[in-house]
Amino acid sequence: QVQLAESGGGLVQAGGSLRLSCAASGSIFSLNGMGWYRQAPGKQRELVATITSAGSTNYADSVKGRFTISRDNAKKTVYLQMNSLKPEDTAVYYCNGDLVPRQTMRYTTYWGQGTQVTVSS
């Protein structure tokens, strides 16, 4: 089975930092575009950051200068370094990616299970 597994969420005070990880498992031919999304209670899921296979990145305006997305293709893992956290960053953070399983050799979108990030004031 091909899966994305997230880790690194938790409770942190405003101004603190967290590093989220998203590891892909299973028989995977390639990981292509990857991204992080977040969803707060009562709100729509929003895009936080994306990274292409070549390493090009894009960020939501609300996190520019504070968050950094990166990837390690050898480890089949994508990261989200979150610095200077604010209470408004509180949300469930989801990993998303376009993967090519060896079983199908076709692009398929996968989502992680989500990890809670809570920032206290």
Side-chain angles (χ1 to χ4, degrees):
Q1 290 183 324
V2 173
Q3 300 180 47
L4 295 176
E6 300 161 335
S7 62
L11 175 64
V12 65
Q13 293 184 357
S17 299
L18 285 173
R19 191 190 195 196
L20 306 183
S21 298
C22 175
S25 62
S27 184
I28 300 169
F29 177 75
S30 67
L31 278 67
N32 298 287
M34 304 291 293
W36 287 94
Y37 294 72
R38 66 186 182 186
Q39 186 169 24
K43 296 184 178 180
Q44 295 183 356
R45 188 173 299 185
E46 64 176 347
L47 178 66
V48 176
T50 61
I51 184 167
T52 69
S53 298
S56 297
T57 59
N58 281 290
Y59 299 91
D61 289 340
S62 60
V63 306
K64 285 182 179 177
R66 300 187 298 118
F67 291 11
T68 303
I69 187 172
S70 61
R71 63 191 294 159
D72 186 330
N73 290 331
K75 296 181 179 179
K76 298 180 180 178
T77 301
V78 62
Y79 306 95
L80 185 68
Q81 178 66 47
M82 304 185 294
N83 299 325
S84 302
L85 283 163
K86 305 175 181 179
E88 49 263 45
D89 294 319
T90 296
V92 177
Y93 283 71
Y94 297 90
C95 178
N96 165 268
D98 294 325
L99 280 57
V100 180
R102 290 189 181 276
Q103 183 66 36
T104 64
M105 296 299 290
R106 295 288 185 272
Y107 283 108
T108 306
T109 299
Y110 289 84
W111 290 89
Q113 77 283 0
T115 185
Q116 177 70 47
V117 172
T118 302
V119 184
S120 62
S121 60

